[in-house]
Amino acid sequence: MCSNESNPAPDYLPTMTTELAVSGSELTTLSDLLSSSPALTENPKNASYLAELPSLPLSDLLATPTALSTQSHTLTASLTALAHTSYPTFLSLHKTSLALLNSLSSLDTSLNTLLDTALPALDDAARTFREKSGPTVIDERQRARVVLEQHDKLRDLLDVPVLIDTCVRNGLYAEALALAGHVSTALSALSTIQPQGGEIFGASPHASPLQLVRSLQAEVASSLYSMRLLLLNTLHEPSRKLPAFWKAVQFLRRMQVMSESELALAFVSARIECLQNALQAAERDAGVSATATTDDGDNITGSSAADREKEMDRQADDVARFLKKYIDVWREGAYDLIAQYTTIFLERLQYRQPSSSSHLLAASPLPDPAIRQTLLPTLLGLLLPTIRTYLRRAYPHLAPLATQLAYCSSAMARVGMDFRALLSPLITHAVVDGFARDLRIGAEREWSATLSKHSSPSQSRSTAPSKWLVSSSRPVPPLSSISIQSSSAAHTPPQILTTFSPLAVSLNTYLRALNRLRGLAPMNALGGVSHALESVLAKNGEGLLGYAKEWRGDAKEAEIIRAAGTAYTRVLVPFLRRAVIEGVFSSSCDPHGQDEAQMEVNSTKGVDGASSLSIVVRDWESWLADKSP
């Protein structure tokens, strides 16, 4: 049933109304119309309108087609006007729609290509890159991560080498070693840091330690090397004493860069070098090296024996002063060296606790015993050769030097270096050599000058004996009276020699040499002194015998020569022998002036030394017997 109320049709159903008007003749009912068009009911608005339509009055239903037709014509006219006025827009919209469709189609093709080809290739390339470069990149990233994580520690460690170098330069060796130990521990921990990946950094066999770690280790090692050089240089400083050496050696032990034997050898070598430098400085300051190499005394000049003796005394005084300083320097240096070596390397274990002594002996053994065994001969090698060379040049100032050497030996005996047994041969040799040199420069050279003056080969005839062999104020005594009295004192010169001026002058020269010998006359030097004396007496007697044999003159001059020869062989020679044996050495001798030891020596020397004097005396006696009237 339809209602009579008027209700205009909604604006959103023009199509349905037209369709209803056009085909009203064919569809008899509304139900047929709705069933023929299912799309009408699918729209929620149509469904609500159709649900409302049966409730409308008939008038409204009858007016609905007209209203819908009017609205349709109005809309058609509006659309036509819009098409005429906005056709460029519709054309542009159409072109744009076509372009959009083409773009979407191309995009679809490109996306398909990307999904089917490009992405699988990219995935393969990424996989290949990861397999080839992945470990290196990861390792570098891990390294960078470690550096970032340890930034504060690294910044502190970078300052440590500078601090170590500063401590070393200022002598703070304990602090330097503590910093070095801290750096070593920190760098060891830094080299084995476990990054986030879980692998220990630097623990793989092919992984290298951080470059920063190597650089820091190199800088620390360089600073410690400088410290070791400074500590070793401390051992070479002459002014340092035991505390400084103990401290330096202890730090070198803590550095663990040298074994105990190497450390002991370095210490001994350094101190011996300092001692050598001190001894060389003493020798340079004395300025006696040039005079100590001459062996025959040719550098001694003087017009007389007294002048030459003064020159020898002056040189001997310089040498004695040098030797005194040299011995003092050697004694102080050698004593300090042995005492310091014993304290630092041999006695240090006795101050430790007994419970830990076995561990210390195993951890730090004693130095090689060969170092101590060779130390004493090395030190003596710095003293004895110099003493052997210069001591004879210090004659006759040997007595204070011998006393000083004895004191030096006693002092060294307290540290196990008693060398007194080695001094006796040196002193004896110096006494003998100095006495022989004294005779050569004095008596022998003066007698040779006198003989060469009066029996020169350039002269056509030698000087007459009466002009130089005898004193003009005294008569020539008979040969039978020219002899030495056995009851006379050994130190009293025979008065008979005053008749023969050259013999008296020569005797004074011999006596001055004997007086110089009395300052130091060891019994071991008796044989050498007697040998030196008799060698000079033999040479001088042989020269006088040569003059006597060459002289050709009257009987009076010949008598003077025989008297002079008799005085030489029977007075001068026995007196000087006795003066040496009894006067200087307080020994006994035979009537000819020889002691038992000297006679035994003479029997084994052939024609040298005392045997040559015996030959000269025998030749004189033979010549005197031949020339006797």
Side-chain angles (χ1 to χ4, degrees):
M1 292 184 66
C2 298
S3 176
N4 292 327
E5 294 179 3
S6 172
N7 188 14
D11 293 340
Y12 49 80
L13 292 176
T15 304
M16 183 188 73
T17 305
T18 304
E19 249 181 55
L20 182 61
V22 173
S23 58
S25 62
E26 298 178 358
L27 299 175
T28 58
T29 64
L30 182 60
S31 300
D32 294 337
L33 177 62
L34 294 175
S35 61
S36 63
S37 300
L40 293 176
T41 59
E42 292 178 358
N43 193 331
K45 294 182 179 181
N46 292 341
S48 63
Y49 176 73
L50 292 177
E52 182 185 0
L53 189 61
S55 63
L56 294 176
L58 180 61
S59 58
D60 291 342
L61 293 174
L62 292 175
T64 297
T66 303
L68 292 175
S69 177
T70 301
Q71 291 180 0
S72 174
H73 286 295
T74 303
L75 291 174
T76 301
S78 298
L79 289 174
T80 303
L82 180 62
H84 280 285
T85 57
S86 302
Y87 77 92
T89 303
F90 290 117
L91 292 178
S92 175
L93 180 62
H94 177 69
K95 292 180 181 180
T96 304
S97 299
L98 291 177
L100 179 60
L101 291 176
N102 292 333
S103 299
L104 293 175
S105 178
S106 176
L107 177 62
D108 180 67
T109 302
S110 299
L111 290 175
N112 291 333
T113 303
L114 176 65
L115 295 175
D116 297 338
T117 305
L119 289 180
L122 179 62
D123 184 67
D124 295 339
R127 187 181 300 108
T128 303
F129 176 77
R130 184 176 66 252
E131 292 175 354
K132 292 183 178 180
S133 304
T136 304
V137 175
I138 293 174
D139 185 62
E140 292 296 332
R141 293 183 63 185
Q142 289 177 347
R143 290 175 184 270
R145 186 182 302 113
V146 168
V147 173
L148 291 176
E149 292 174 354
Q150 305 296 327
H151 177 266
D152 295 336
K153 293 182 180 179
L154 291 176
R155 185 178 59 186
D156 295 338
L157 290 176
L158 288 175
D159 296 334
V160 171
V162 179
L163 294 176
I164 293 177
D165 189 67
T166 303
C167 292
V168 169
R169 294 180 183 275
N170 294 327
L172 304 176
Y173 301 128
E175 290 77 2
L177 289 178
L179 288 173
H182 169 70
V183 170
S184 178
T185 304
L187 293 180
S188 299
L190 185 63
S191 300
T192 56
I193 290 177
Q194 184 176 3
Q196 295 180 359
E199 180 185 0
I200 295 178
F201 187 72
S204 62
H206 301 289
S208 59
L210 288 173
Q211 182 67 27
L212 181 61
V213 173
R214 293 198 301 269
S215 177
L216 287 175
Q217 289 174 343
E219 292 183 9
V220 172
S222 177
S223 298
L224 292 181
Y225 180 75
S226 300
M227 174 179 169
R228 182 174 63 177
L229 291 181
L230 290 176
L231 290 174
L232 291 176
N233 286 335
T234 301
L235 304 180
H236 289 266
E237 296 180 7
S239 59
R240 296 300 183 101
K241 297 300 181 182
L242 178 60
F245 297 143
W246 175 275
K247 181 179 178 182
V249 171
Q250 288 299 106
F251 283 125
L252 288 172
R253 286 190 180 122
R254 289 178 57 185
M255 294 179 69
Q256 296 180 353
V257 293
M258 303 172 68
S259 65
E260 193 70 11
S261 296
E262 292 174 344
L263 190 56
L265 185 60
F267 174 80
V268 170
S269 301
R271 300 316 302 161
I272 288 180
E273 182 179 352
C274 288
L275 180 56
Q276 288 176 335
N277 294 336
L279 296 177
Q280 291 173 1
E283 187 171 355
R284 285 194 305 269
D285 295 341
V288 296
S289 58
T291 61
T293 57
T294 307
D295 198 26
D296 53 3
D298 288 340
N299 59 327
I300 304 298
T301 58
S303 58
S304 64
D307 295 337
R308 290 191 292 269
E309 289 173 2
K310 291 180 181 180
E311 178 67 17
M312 283 192 300
D313 287 341
R314 186 189 62 79
Q315 294 184 4
D317 186 64
D318 294 339
V319 174
R321 193 180 305 111
F322 154 69
L323 284 179
K324 183 179 183 300
K325 182 178 180 181
Y326 190 93
I327 294 170
D328 287 339
V329 171
W330 182 90
R331 176 179 54 81
E332 294 176 1
Y335 185 89
D336 290 343
L337 196 159
I338 296 177
Q340 292 162 1
Y341 178 83
T342 303
T343 303
I344 295 175
F345 295 98
L346 301 182
E347 296 180 355
R348 60 188 180 89
L349 294 180
Q350 69 181 8
Y351 303 106
R352 310 297 179 92
Q353 295 297 330
S355 59
S356 61
S357 59
S358 59
H359 170 71
L360 290 172
L361 286 173
S364 55
L366 292 175
D368 191 346
I371 299 177
R372 178 60 187 268
Q373 295 172 1
T374 57
L375 176 59
L376 303 184
T378 302
L379 292 176
L380 288 177
L382 298 177
L383 175 67
L384 296 184
T386 303
I387 296 298
R388 185 180 297 108
T389 301
Y390 288 95
L391 192 60
R392 59 187 180 84
R393 309 293 298 182
Y395 181 88
H397 306 291
L398 297 181
L401 293 176
T403 303
Q404 186 181 8
L405 286 173
Y407 169 75
C408 177
S409 176
S410 300
M412 298 304 295
R414 292 197 292 269
V415 291
M417 189 178 175
D418 188 359
F419 58 95
R420 282 176 291 184
L422 302 176
L423 296 178
S424 179
L426 293 178
I427 296 175
T428 300
H429 178 74
V431 170
V432 173
D433 188 80
F435 179 73
R437 179 170 175 265
D438 210 354
L439 291 180
R440 288 196 307 270
I441 297 175
E444 181 179 340
R445 187 179 296 184
E446 184 172 7
W447 185 257
S448 299
T450 302
L451 283 179
S452 61
K453 178 180 178 181
H454 297 287
S455 61
S456 176
S458 60
Q459 297 178 358
S460 59
R461 189 175 181 182
S462 300
T463 305
S466 59
K467 294 182 179 180
W468 69 280
L469 266 180
V470 294
S471 175
S472 59
S473 60
R474 288 178 175 270
V476 178
L479 297 182
S480 59
S481 63
I482 302 176
S483 63
I484 189 171
Q485 302 294 328
S486 59
S487 60
S488 61
H491 60 275
T492 303
Q495 293 297 323
I496 191 67
L497 293 179
T498 58
T499 305
F500 307 95
S501 301
L503 297 182
V505 173
S506 180
L507 176 61
N508 288 333
T509 306
Y510 283 111
L511 292 179
R512 285 197 301 270
L514 292 178
N515 288 331
R516 292 151 64 90
L517 176 63
R518 291 170 61 89
L520 179 64
M523 290 302 300
N524 294 336
L526 175 57
V529 168
S530 299
H531 175 69
L533 174 64
E534 294 178 357
S535 297
V536 175
L537 288 174
K539 186 173 182 180
N540 292 347
E542 186 177 2
L544 181 59
L545 180 60
Y547 170 80
K549 290 181 178 180
E550 291 177 359
W551 172 255
R552 298 292 183 270
D554 54 12
K556 184 178 180 180
E557 298 293 341
E559 185 66 21
I560 294 175
I561 294 177
R562 288 197 301 272
T566 303
Y568 186 86
T569 57
R570 298 177 184 178
V571 177
L572 180 63
V573 171
F575 171 75
L576 289 177
R577 281 177 169 175
R578 185 183 175 192
V580 169
I581 297 173
E582 293 184 3
V584 177
F585 291 94
S586 299
S587 181
S588 60
C589 62
D590 66 343
H592 298 285
Q594 291 183 330
D595 63 341
E596 296 179 359
Q598 184 63 25
M599 288 189 294
E600 182 178 356
V601 170
N602 292 344
S603 64
T604 59
K605 285 188 177 181
V607 296
D608 190 20
S611 296
S612 62
L613 179 59
S614 300
I615 295 175
V616 170
V617 172
R618 187 172 60 248
D619 292 343
W620 262 109
E621 295 293 343
S622 176
W623 184 82
L624 291 174
D626 293 341
K627 297 299 181 178
S628 61

